[in-house]
Amino acid sequence: MASNGIKDRVAIVGMGCTQFGEHWDKGSEDLLIDAAYQAYESAGIEPNDVDAYWLGTMGQLSGLVLSVPLKIDYRPVTHVENFCATGSEALRQACYAVASGAYDLAMAIGVEKLKDSGYSGLVVSSPANDGTLGNMSAPASFSLLAPAYFKKYGLDPAKGKEVLARIAWKNHRNGAKNPKAQFRKEVPMEAILSSPKVADPLGVMDCSGVADGSAAAIVCRAEDAHKYTQHPIFIKALSFVAGPGEGPLAQDYDFTTFREVVASARDAYKQAGVTDPRKEISMAEVHDCFTPTELVLYEDLGFSPRGTAWQDVMNGFFDLDGTLPVNPDGGLKSFGHPIGASGLRMMYEMWLQLRGEAGPRQIENPTLGLTHNLGGAPGRCVSFVSIVGR
Ligand code: COA
């Protein structure tokens, strides 16, 4: 794959993020205004300084969703959608737009308002077309990873469940330090292990939160970055792949990997010049839509050798004070998952951490951060990986 990348050519110079959770008193317009104005303010600019916008949202169509509440004065607003990786897709396109020279300042912004949709969780959007693809909910699709991983690497179901619970425990512990997270309480291991089943072996506490929220980033070419902030962060790699979607039907697919993630990680590491991610990446935000997803991602992203991530989980390698902290802001599990905003929320944590502004969850002297955002289901998905640094 020819992917030249834009290493060190684009900077993020302002970011904003709303609190995630249930916003009964706010519409998506209010959330967009909140995130956008936080971002304008952090870059020290006026709304009219931004030349073009990329809006990521799953639920609504067209740039009018953004141009109306922000009262944008006849500027381009592009609506993008790419499953749960929608926010990252908006960021990727805004970065390429300024890198090309077409615009000087661009905003990527994502939003979703899921909580007052009238149903719990996310429903299955469309029935199988030919009877061969299962009509499964998200928790059911991702639950298939757990027994497959346990069997392949010799974990009995009780031990496997403990490993998954340890991931949720870590992410709730991190989220408890985050005033913008949906769930801001530590949850004991016993409560996670005994939470009501959603899709065996996953319980409620293995699932990401369904939330309302918005997040935004302002980007410019690297040489202009210090006009806007003393501490910009720089894009080292942006990779996005869509798989062939054959996993659920392929005889050789065993549900212990996301091939799309392996491909996008390989591409991103090449763009950034990273050869040993376990050692070189200081921290990561990964797509923990369900606990077994995070487990498998550790191996697909090259953080742990195959078959060993569960040991790294149990010995605290990915904890906030571990060697490679993962989901320091609480992740989808604790921060919540308003689809269009999530990829940008992950980047918001990189922004805070790399600038030393993450408060009680600050990681010591991080140099390179990675965000990973997935859309779809095991064997049938799109995957985004970014690497950013000072
Ligand atoms: N993690 C932790 N606590 C959760 C939770 C979660 N994921 N979801 C709900 N809760 C808590 C609520 O805070 C509430 O607690 P309270 O009674 O103390 O106030 C309680 O559980 C019930 O909340 P409710 O909103 O009624 O839950 P729900 O039944 O509507 O939703 C799930 C629970 C698991 C179905 C929902 O969180 C879910 O579908 N998550 C997955 C989302 C998803 O598929 N995203 C796409 C990923 S690809």
Side-chain angles (χ1 to χ4, degrees):
M1 179 165 86
S3 174
N4 301 322
I6 53 168
K7 187 180 179 192
D8 290 330
R9 285 168 52 195
V10 170
I12 299 178
V13 294
M15 285 208 77
C17 184
T18 68
Q19 185 170 8
F20 284 9
E22 299 190 17
H23 288 290
W24 299 110
D25 55 341
K26 289 186 179 136
S28 52
E29 296 87 351
D30 304 294
L31 298 169
L32 285 165
I33 289 169
D34 184 359
Y37 275 79
Q38 285 182 41
Y40 294 139
E41 196 178 317
S42 79
I45 60 169
E46 297 296 323
N48 268 341
D49 295 333
V50 174
D51 302 312
Y53 291 80
W54 273 262
L55 164 71
T57 188
M58 172 191 82
Q60 310 171 77
L61 299 175
S62 108
L64 288 167
V65 173
L66 186 70
S67 66
V68 172
L70 290 191
K71 302 195 190 314
I72 289 168
D73 190 12
Y74 301 99
R75 311 282 160 121
V77 181
T78 307
H79 170 249
V80 301
E81 198 279 336
N82 220 332
F83 285 172
C84 291
T86 290
S88 297
E89 183 69 305
L91 177 71
R92 187 175 74 109
Q93 298 195 22
C95 288
Y96 290 162
V98 292
S100 76
Y103 301 107
D104 293 331
L105 268 185
M107 177 183 280
I109 185 164
V111 70
E112 221 69 63
K113 182 122 178 68
L114 298 174
K115 283 306 278 187
D116 52 2
S117 60
Y119 48 79
S120 284
L122 295 175
V123 290
V124 174
S125 54
S126 54
N129 54 2
D130 62 359
T132 55
L133 286 174
N135 191 5
M136 290 162 78
S137 67
S141 300
F142 284 88
S143 73
L144 300 175
L145 300 169
Y149 185 95
F150 301 164
K151 180 157 186 253
K152 187 163 178 179
Y153 299 117
L155 275 71
D156 68 50
K159 183 70 194 173
K161 181 86 179 143
E162 191 190 339
V163 171
L164 300 183
R166 181 66 172 66
I167 292 171
W169 175 84
K170 165 183 73 71
N171 290 350
H172 274 287
R173 196 162 178 240
N174 295 349
K177 296 181 171 39
N178 185 348
K180 292 191 170 177
Q182 178 175 23
F183 304 119
R184 296 185 297 278
K185 275 196 208 141
E186 294 196 24
V187 184
M189 281 289 282
E190 311 76 63
I192 297 169
L193 285 164
S194 61
S195 70
K197 287 278 167 61
V198 173
D200 193 57
L202 307 185
V204 170
M205 287 293 161
D206 291 286
C207 303
S208 52
V210 176
D212 308 330
S214 178
I218 293 172
V219 298
C220 69
R221 281 183 299 286
E223 61 267 28
D224 297 331
H226 288 95
K227 285 188 206 163
Y228 305 104
T229 175
Q230 277 191 308
H231 302 293
I233 68 171
F234 294 92
I235 303 290
K236 308 288 176 184
L238 296 171
S239 178
F240 209 115
V241 305
E246 63 195 13
L249 303 176
Q251 291 300 315
D252 65 343
Y253 181 64
D254 71 358
F255 287 86
T256 64
T257 180
F258 298 92
R259 291 170 177 165
E260 297 82 352
V261 177
V262 174
S264 56
R266 188 186 301 128
D267 179 33
Y269 293 143
K270 186 167 153 254
Q271 290 179 29
V274 168
T275 53
D276 185 350
R278 186 175 171 92
K279 292 213 174 89
E280 292 172 63
I281 300 294
S282 316
M283 60 189 170
E285 285 289 325
V286 307
H287 194 92
D288 59 320
C289 52
F290 302 96
T291 50
T293 317
E294 183 165 327
L295 179 64
V296 166
L297 289 176
Y298 292 141
E299 299 182 7
D300 284 347
L301 292 167
F303 294 168
S304 304
R306 289 275 166 210
T308 68
W310 69 272
Q311 290 161 345
D312 283 335
V313 169
M314 297 311 286
N315 67 30
F317 188 80
F318 301 114
D319 290 359
L320 199 52
D321 57 358
T323 310
L324 199 177
V326 171
N327 291 328
D329 68 1
L332 301 168
K333 171 75 270 261
S334 177
F335 207 138
H337 187 18
I339 310 295
S342 286
L344 286 154
R345 180 276 298 164
M346 295 173 179
M347 190 56 74
Y348 182 67
E349 181 68 2
M350 297 294 121
W351 167 258
L352 295 178
Q353 292 283 356
L354 287 166
R355 289 158 53 94
E357 295 172 352
R361 57 182 199 285
Q362 181 63 48
I363 294 161
E364 210 184 317
N365 205 23
T367 52
L368 275 189
L370 178 147
T371 72
H372 164 265
N373 199 187
L374 182 105
R380 192 177 166 76
C381 64
V382 299
S383 171
F384 169 85
V385 174
S386 83
I387 300 172
V388 287
R390 291 203 189 109

